[in-house]
Structures are given as structure tokens and as C-alpha cells.
Amino acid sequence: MAERSGTKRQREGGDQKIDWRKWKQEKKEEKKKWKELKLLRKLEKQRSQEAMEKRKEESKPEEDKGRRYTVSIALPGSILNNAQSLELRTYLAGQIARACVIFCVDEIVVFDEDGEDSKTVEGDFEGIKKKGQACVQLARILQYLECPQYLRKSFFPKHQDLQFAGLLNPLDTPHHLRIDEDSEYREGVVLARPTKPGRGSFVNCGMRKEVQIDKQLEAGLRVTVRLDEQQNLDSKTQKGTVVSSHQPRTVSGLYWGYTVRLASCLSAVFAESPFKEGYDLSIGTSERGASVEQAVLPSFSHALLVFGGLQGLEAGVDADPNLEVTDPSTLFDLYLNTCPGQGSRTIRTEEAILISLSALRPRIHAAAKKAENSRTKASK
């Protein structure tokens, strides 16, 4: 009995050596550590995946924001002869300018269908007669409206053609910037201020501070300036670089206004194109053309949309000494009726511009996208 009781006490003593609470606590801590380790591995895996995705994104070529294609319109200056006063002529020119900037037109060509043979906006307004200088006046007002307000005094002295231009609705395009408005680019005029050797000219860009550019240029020139990202706030001037007037469009995708060109006749619209290879898509507008609803535009780089005057495009063809054709449709890649089923006998040119550009805009974008995709495939 004594032996048995001794054995029992020994077992009880052996049981007392194991601290179950401590053992459970240790197991609990081990489990917790294992869970933390598992969570850390999961987070590490997630971070490595995110880093890999980031590297993939960085390795991708940057999306090209620029717009390489251009859209030009051509119209006869004689449409101003249908207006009965200088105020109405000015207002008509303002309507055309507004329509063009709404649809991001890059060039406006004013051609002569009345034999005026005007190639410059220099000269005086001769009054409203049967054959006044309608082309010159239209071109001058279009140029005036496109110019940023802070530059107009530098480029447009007082002129009778512009007597009522101040009453027109502003174009409010991206390059018509306010004094404190931030922008990567600005239009400016080179100032006649002396500079130190090796330093560039000073330019008025319509800001509180003048901009010193990277080149010495002749005073009075209109320039497009790209402002430096890093500016010294304590400096009396800002720093910038002179760039091409096309760069805001081709690099940053900004609409940067339109240029104005005078053409002595309809054929000169094509022959004197500012683009090296000319217009690769020409579209004539007429109620006798094919319906725009079935039109599919081919890919292009420079599109030209031509509008007729009071007598349509036929009058421009008849007055052009360089053209032997009688049918205007033979001059264009596409000859379209942009408003089929019209309710009025006539559509005024300023109305036709809005109607036509509105109808063609989705087709222009589709054709430009097609051209961009083909260029991308070719580069690969």
C-alpha cells in the first residue's frame, strides 16, 4: 500500500511539472506569429505584383495627346457683299470665326470669285460698293478676332474695317488667356528692349511679368512661347522657349486658333497650300452633291472643306481663269450635300459652315483615328 501511495504521489508530482497555461500561451503566440508571417508574405506578394504592374505601365509608351491632322475651310469673300452695312458685314465675319473655332478649324482660306485679286490685308476699305474689298475686309476681321486681346494693339492699328469688331462675341479659344491664367504655352510679341550678350529677347505674353526667351529675335514678331516648368518666383521675369505655332496642337493636343490665307481664285486655294504635299482630302459642299449620311471619309493628314457663295461653287469655277471644267464636283475628292432635305431654298454660307462641320465632325474623327492606327502599325 505504501508503495502504491508513493507511486501516486510521484505521478502527481510529475503532473505538477507541466504548466498547461504557459503551454497554451506559447501555442497561442506561435499561432499568432505564424498568422503574422503568413500575412506578411501575402503583403509582400501583393507589393511585388503592384511593383511589376507599375513597371509595365512605365515601360508602355506615353499616350500621344497631340493632333497631327488639320482641317481647313475655304469660302469666297464675296459673301460680305450680301450684307447691307459695315456693322452687318462685321457681324457676319464674327459668325464665321465663331463657327470655325467651335469646330477647331486650323486654317481659313478666303478666295476671290469676283476678280478682286487680293493677296494681302494691307490697304484701306473702299466702302460698300458692287465690288468692294470684301476678301480683304473678311480676312482682316478674322485675323483680328483670332489674335489674343493683349496683342491686338501691337498688330492691328485703327482701321475702318475694324470699326465695329470690338462689339463681336469673343472667340475665347485656349490661347486667349487671362493675365493670371496658367498655361504651358502662350502667344506673345517680341519687345524692343536691349538685352545682355548671350541672352534672349523679352516677350510680352500678357502676364504680369515679361518672359525672356532663349533666342534673340526681331522686335514686333508674334511668337509662341513654351514657359519653363521651374520658375524663379523672386525674378522680375519668367523664362521660356520659342516653339513652332503648331506645337501646342501636335504635342499637347490643344486647339491654338486658325491661320488666315487669301487666295486670288478657287484654283489658288489648292495650288498655294501651306502644306508640303497639299491637301490629301478635299470636300466640296453643294445641294447637288451626294448625301453626307452615306459618306465615309478616307484617312487623311490635311482636309479641305470648300463652300460657295450666293451662286454656289459654280460661280467660283466660272470666274477662275485657270480652270477649264464646268462641273465643280470634278475638283474634289468628295462632293457632298451636308443638309439633305433642307426646308429653305437657300442656306447661307455662315449657316452651311456650322451644318457641314457638325455633320462631318464624327467622320473626320473616325478617319483621323484610322490614319493614326495605320501609322502605329507601320512603326511597329
Side-chain angles (χ1 to χ4, degrees):
M1 291 292 289
E3 288 178 6
R4 286 181 182 175
S5 61
T7 308
K8 189 176 180 181
R9 281 196 300 271
Q10 197 175 6
R11 284 179 183 170
E12 285 174 356
D15 289 342
Q16 285 173 359
K17 286 179 181 178
I18 299 171
D19 190 343
W20 292 104
R21 282 186 181 178
K22 192 177 179 181
W23 182 81
K24 282 182 181 178
Q25 189 67 27
E26 286 174 357
K27 287 287 182 185
K28 208 173 183 179
E29 285 178 3
E30 281 180 16
K31 198 174 182 181
K32 190 179 177 182
K33 284 180 181 177
W34 181 78
K35 279 185 179 178
E36 286 177 355
L37 188 64
K38 193 177 179 182
L39 186 63
L40 283 169
R41 284 177 181 170
K42 192 177 179 180
L43 286 169
E44 201 174 313
K45 190 178 179 182
Q46 192 176 342
R47 281 175 189 162
S48 65
Q49 284 179 348
E50 285 175 359
M52 194 180 291
E53 285 175 9
K54 192 177 180 181
R55 281 196 296 271
K56 282 181 181 177
E57 288 293 324
E58 288 174 354
S59 63
K60 282 182 183 177
E62 286 185 14
E63 186 182 347
D64 191 1
K65 296 179 183 177
R67 173 170 67 87
R68 290 186 176 85
Y69 70 89
T70 64
V71 177
S72 305
I73 72 161
L75 71 162
S78 61
I79 61 170
L80 290 194
N81 293 331
N82 201 33
Q84 291 79 19
S85 66
L86 182 55
E87 295 96 317
L88 290 175
R89 289 163 78 97
T90 306
Y91 184 72
L92 175 56
Q95 283 181 296
I96 292 165
R98 284 284 303 171
C100 289
V101 299
I102 286 169
F103 290 98
C104 301
V105 170
D106 302 292
E107 180 195 27
I108 303 175
V109 188
V110 181
F111 67 89
D112 172 33
E113 64 172 12
D114 289 334
E116 291 177 9
D117 195 26
S118 301
K119 291 187 178 181
T120 174
V121 294
E122 298 298 324
D124 295 326
F125 174 58
E126 295 179 0
I128 300 168
K129 304 172 184 176
K130 287 184 179 179
K131 285 191 177 182
Q133 291 287 314
C135 292
V136 175
Q137 188 185 9
L138 177 57
R140 182 180 281 115
I141 296 171
L142 291 174
Q143 286 180 338
Y144 177 83
L145 288 174
E146 185 277 335
C147 184
Q149 289 87 334
Y150 57 86
L151 294 180
R152 286 175 181 170
K153 284 185 179 179
S154 302
F155 296 106
F156 294 92
K158 284 187 178 180
H159 197 283
Q160 194 174 352
D161 285 356
L162 303 173
Q163 185 179 349
F164 298 101
L167 302 175
L168 295 175
N169 296 320
L171 301 188
D172 205 21
T173 51
H175 68 304
H176 287 200
L177 295 156
R178 281 70 171 173
I179 191 168
D180 292 318
E181 199 170 349
D182 290 330
S183 175
E184 185 181 2
Y185 301 94
R186 272 190 176 258
E187 289 293 292
V189 58
V190 179
L191 301 174
R193 270 186 57 185
T195 57
K196 293 178 182 179
R199 299 284 185 92
S201 302
F202 290 98
V203 177
N204 171 24
C205 289
M207 300 189 293
R208 297 189 188 278
K209 294 180 180 180
E210 292 171 358
V211 179
Q212 189 166 30
I213 55 175
D214 57 327
K215 296 176 181 176
Q216 278 278 1
L217 296 175
E218 185 184 344
L221 285 177
R222 178 175 167 177
V223 290
T224 304
V225 177
R226 187 177 186 272
L227 299 172
D228 294 351
E229 289 183 13
Q230 301 295 328
Q231 298 284 351
N232 184 3
L233 299 176
D234 298 326
S235 176
K236 292 182 180 179
T237 60
Q238 293 203 34
K239 298 292 182 183
T241 307
V242 174
V243 297
S244 164
S245 59
H246 304 304
Q247 186 168 313
R249 169 179 60 84
T250 56
V251 176
S252 301
L254 295 170
Y255 176 61
W256 212 243
Y258 53 77
T259 59
V260 181
R261 176 165 66 90
L262 280 165
S264 57
C265 54
L266 182 57
S267 59
V269 173
F270 299 90
E272 297 169 4
S273 170
F275 308 108
K276 190 176 179 181
E277 296 175 1
Y279 304 103
D280 51 358
L281 175 61
S282 59
I283 303 170
T285 59
S286 172
E287 61 181 0
R288 300 173 186 83
S291 175
V292 71
E293 292 165 2
Q294 281 79 44
V296 178
L297 304 189
S299 59
F300 67 91
S301 296
H302 306 291
L304 172 68
L305 188 59
V306 184
F307 298 91
L310 299 175
Q311 283 92 38
L313 284 169
E314 288 79 4
V317 171
D318 292 341
D320 194 327
N322 302 317
L323 296 176
E324 296 178 358
V325 298
T326 54
D327 184 6
S329 63
T330 57
L331 300 175
F332 306 100
D333 299 317
L334 295 170
Y335 199 58
L336 300 177
N337 179 1
T338 54
C339 188
Q342 64 193 61
S344 173
R345 289 189 187 91
T346 56
I347 295 178
R348 297 172 68 90
T349 305
E350 65 272 23
E351 297 166 342
I353 293 170
L354 280 170
I355 294 166
S356 302
L357 291 172
S358 180
L360 290 169
R361 186 174 195 173
R363 293 168 172 83
I364 287 171
H365 287 175
K369 194 173 181 181
K370 195 192 303 178
E372 186 64 33
N373 291 339
S374 63
R375 273 197 296 265
T376 306
K377 286 178 182 177
S379 63
K380 288 179 181 179

